[in-house]
Amino acid sequence: MKSINFTAKRNQLTAIVGDVGSGKSSLLAALMGQMKVVEGESNIYGSVSYTPQEAWLLNMSFRDNIIFGSEYNEEWYNQVIKACSLTRDLQLMADGDKTEIGERGINLSGGQRQRISLARCVYKAADVAFLDDPLR
């Protein structure tokens, strides 16, 4: 990528669109400091959360995969579950949100894994949220 000038303003939704392989994910990686910036600079002001294209889960409970080390707030958690369309998924789990998921836990569909990944991003309530085609 060359000669990119980009500003995303506070309290606005900004979408980066382009063909497959055009560098959208690379731009996000550069913004998050995961890719070396050879020239110029990248600044983000505030906290960041990220939902990648490919969801990943840890071997822990459904809830812990969402709150991911943050303090548990039941009211916010329930709002996130509803907003990320996870209510029905929870109803299907024998132990509810205490059900262990991940490699040693129950098997989840790709869609369920992505919704949990999205919920993790939303639950953090960061100043900046990067969504890299999470529901493709």
Side-chain angles (χ1 to χ4, degrees), residues 71-128:
E71 184 177 323
Y72 177 67
N73 176 315
E74 185 176 7
E75 182 179 345
W76 177 237
Y77 176 79
N78 288 332
Q79 288 177 18
V80 169
I81 293 298
K82 183 176 179 182
C84 294
S85 298
L86 286 165
T87 305
R88 178 77 173 127
D89 299 312
L90 270 178
Q91 293 170 346
L92 297 173
M93 295 182 187
D95 293 327
D97 69 356
K98 292 183 175 89
T99 302
E100 185 176 342
I101 59 177
E103 291 180 17
R104 291 180 289 172
I106 65 166
N107 291 328
L108 298 175
S109 71
Q112 289 170 315
R113 294 170 63 85
Q114 285 299 104
R115 288 191 298 277
I116 291 168
S117 183
L118 180 61
R120 181 185 307 125
C121 183
V122 173
Y123 188 84
K124 186 173 180 184
D127 298 314
V128 178

Side-chain angles (χ1 to χ4, degrees), residues 5-82:
N5 292 309
F6 171 75
T7 301
K9 298 190 181 195
R10 187 179 303 267
N11 298 320
Q12 285 188 332
L13 174 64
T14 301
I16 307 297
V17 296
D19 293 333
V20 172
S22 64
K24 302 177 299 290
S25 295
S26 295
L27 176 61
L28 289 181
L31 289 170
M32 292 185 293
Q34 296 177 343
M35 179 180 282
K36 183 178 180 182
V37 177
V38 177
E39 186 177 310
E41 63 183 50
S42 171
N43 298 305
I44 296 177
Y45 301 100
S47 58
V48 174
S49 61
Y50 172 62
T51 302
Q53 289 180 15
E54 297 294 326
W56 54 267
L57 302 174
L58 296 177
N59 292 315
M60 54 176 58
S61 72
F62 180 98
R63 179 191 298 179
D64 289 338
N65 265 283
I66 293 172
I67 66 171
F68 206 65
S70 297
E71 184 177 323
Y72 177 67
N73 176 315
E74 185 176 7
E75 182 179 345
W76 177 237
Y77 176 79
N78 288 332
Q79 288 177 18
V80 169
I81 293 298
K82 183 176 179 182

